[in-house]
């Protein structure tokens, strides 16, 4: 079984990707998307979104990193896919699942699930441009407003030459609201000859087992479940329900806080910490207490002092 860390725009940035991959169990990390319109983007755009490219497309602990592209123009996407590989990306992933209204209005992400023929043209152009030996993968949902075109969309992606397909088991209209419809992925899996990775509503080891069984898949992609519980991939592979101690989690929080302080402006880094604590509080009551204590703070010194106080408990 392979487990991938999902691309999560505005959430799984370079810093969280680094820390989550460090916990172990992840076979691949996929970046937040780079939006492509109608031209080849300069190298600095790729490096800004995926600093791992400077490390030959790998995280600090040597987990492979695949860059994700979003757009609808086949030729432009093909040029940028080739550039991504040249810069060190471990393959290229195509985003056909983003539910953002802004992205969809720009004809990117999940809205393309209304146009199987566009999916085909995009995937084929990228596959033809990517050098032999490098993976071209895609991530889709079950559809836009409904799942009526899910078979046509999956077929288009496969027939265009994709090497792997990740399926988020909900439509765009269903967003992130439970449940995930893993059984519908199973219906698709029966007719797809390439590896299928199932994604959506996998919060723990038991969810993972059910998703794999109902979806008929051998591989998983973890999204918000990995943000909430960074060691989740390792525990799924060990078939364990273990949850790490708050002290271990706090060590990661402290490391994350040090990284964002060093790289982000004061205006932004406190928001990133609060965002992560918001997820962690679902597992760790202590994270809720810490979140409540710093929620009105923006001063780095004050937040650091509160974290150090927590470490001394």
């Amino acid at each position: 079984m392979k487990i991938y860390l999902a691309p999560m725009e505005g959430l799984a940035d370079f810093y969280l990707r680094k820390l989550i991959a460090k916990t172990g169990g992840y076979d691949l990390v996929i970046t937040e998307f780079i939006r492509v319109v109608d031209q080849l983007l300069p190298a600095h755009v790729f490096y800004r979104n995926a600093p791992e490219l400077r490390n030959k497309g790998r995280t600090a602990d040597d987990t492979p990193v695949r860059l994700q592209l979003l757009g609808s123009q086949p030729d432009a996407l093909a040029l940028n896919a080739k550039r991504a590989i040249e810069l060190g990306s471990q393959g290229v992933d195509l985003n056909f699942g983003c539910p953002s209204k802004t992205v969809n209005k720009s004809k990117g992400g999940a809205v393309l699930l209304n146009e199987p023929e566009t999916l085909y043209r995009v995937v084929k152009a990228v596959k033809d441009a990517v050098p032999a030996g490098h993976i071209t993968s895609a991530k889709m949902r079950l559809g836009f407003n409904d799942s009526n075109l899910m078979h046509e969309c999956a077929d288009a992606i496969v027939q265009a030459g994709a090497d792997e397909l990740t399926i988020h088991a909900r439509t765009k209209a269903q967003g992130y609201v439970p449940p995930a419809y893993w059984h519908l992925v199973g219906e698709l899996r029966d007719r797809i000859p390439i590896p299928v990775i199932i994604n959506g509503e996998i919060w723990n080891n038991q969810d993972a087992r059910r998703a794999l069984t109902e979806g008929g898949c051998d591989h998983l992609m973890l999204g918000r479940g990995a943000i909430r519980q960074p060691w989740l991939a390792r525990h799924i592979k060990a078939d364990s329900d273990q949850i790490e101690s708050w002290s271990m989690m706090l060590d990661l929080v402290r490391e994350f806080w040090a990284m964002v302080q060093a790289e982000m402006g004061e205006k932004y880094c406190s928001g990133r910490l609060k965002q992560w604590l918001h997820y962690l509080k679902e597992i760790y009551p202590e994270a809720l207490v810490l979140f409540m204590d710093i929620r009105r703070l923006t001063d780095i010194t004050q937040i650091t002092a509160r974290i150090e106080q927590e470490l001394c408990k």
Side-chain angles (χ1 to χ4, degrees), residues 222-234:
L222 303 179
R224 292 168 298 151
I227 302 296
R228 183 187 289 184
Q229 193 179 159
W231 289 270
L232 182 56
R234 190 173 73 184

Side-chain angles (χ1 to χ4, degrees), residues 44-301:
H44 71 81
V45 173
F46 292 84
Y47 289 128
R48 182 182 65 221
N49 284 269
E52 298 98 334
L53 294 175
R54 298 189 185 279
N55 189 40
K56 299 181 180 179
R58 293 180 176 274
T59 64
D61 71 300
D62 208 36
T63 303
V65 175
R66 184 175 300 163
L67 196 142
Q68 186 181 75
L69 301 178
L70 177 146
S72 59
Q73 299 298 318
D75 291 344
L77 284 161
L79 287 173
N80 284 281
K82 185 178 179 183
R83 169 66 58 84
I85 297 297
E86 291 169 350
L87 294 176
S89 179
Q90 303 291 315
V92 174
D93 191 65
L94 296 168
N95 183 321
F96 303 130
C98 179
S100 163
K101 290 182 179 179
T102 302
V103 168
N104 292 166
K105 284 181 180 178
S106 308
K107 203 175 180 182
V111 74
L112 295 179
L113 298 172
N114 289 325
E115 303 178 16
E117 66 282 0
T118 301
L119 299 182
Y120 178 87
R121 290 198 300 271
V122 166
V123 175
K124 187 165 193 319
V126 169
K127 177 64 177 177
D128 289 347
V130 168
H134 294 276
I135 296 290
T136 296
S137 59
K139 185 170 188 279
M140 62 174 275
R141 284 176 173 254
L142 295 173
F144 192 71
N145 288 321
D146 54 51
S147 58
N148 290 341
L149 291 176
M150 68 177 190
H151 290 288
E152 288 85 349
C153 290
D155 287 346
I157 291 169
V158 171
Q159 291 169 15
D163 300 295
E164 296 178 352
L165 176 59
T166 298
I167 304 175
H168 183 132
R170 285 181 278 232
T171 64
K172 180 269 179 191
Q174 290 161 344
Y176 297 99
V177 178
Y181 299 89
W182 299 322
H183 68 285
L184 293 181
V185 177
E187 291 183 20
L188 287 170
R189 183 68 190 96
D190 290 340
R191 58 191 285 171
I192 298 177
I194 61 176
V196 176
I197 300 95
I198 193 166
N199 170 237
E201 211 62 22
I202 301 170
W203 299 101
N204 53 50
N205 181 47
Q206 297 306 312
D207 291 338
R209 301 296 156 189
R210 286 184 52 218
L212 290 168
T213 299
E214 293 183 27
C217 297
D218 296 318
H219 311 298
L220 294 168
M221 177 176 282
L222 303 179
R224 292 168 298 151
I227 302 296
R228 183 187 289 184
Q229 193 179 159
W231 289 270
L232 182 56
R234 190 173 73 184
H235 294 322
I236 290 171
K237 287 189 173 180
D239 198 11
S240 167
D241 297 315
Q242 180 181 342
I243 294 177
E244 268 64 25
S245 67
W246 170 239
S247 63
M248 288 183 65
M249 187 66 249
L250 193 57
D251 285 340
L252 285 190
V253 169
R254 186 187 194 187
E255 187 174 350
F256 177 75
W257 178 236
M259 286 193 294
V260 297
Q261 279 185 76
E263 300 292 336
M264 291 184 178
E266 185 170 337
K267 178 181 176 182
Y268 301 103
C269 59
S270 64
R272 286 294 292 114
L273 176 61
K274 293 168 192 175
Q275 181 189 40
W276 193 20
L277 289 173
H278 177 74
Y279 279 89
L280 295 179
K281 67 183 177 60
E282 300 299 325
I283 299 290
Y284 298 98
E286 299 93 339
L288 174 59
V289 174
L290 181 55
F291 173 80
M292 295 300 290
D293 285 351
I294 71 168
R295 64 177 177 164
R296 299 188 187 282
L297 301 179
T298 56
D299 182 80
I300 286 177
T301 302

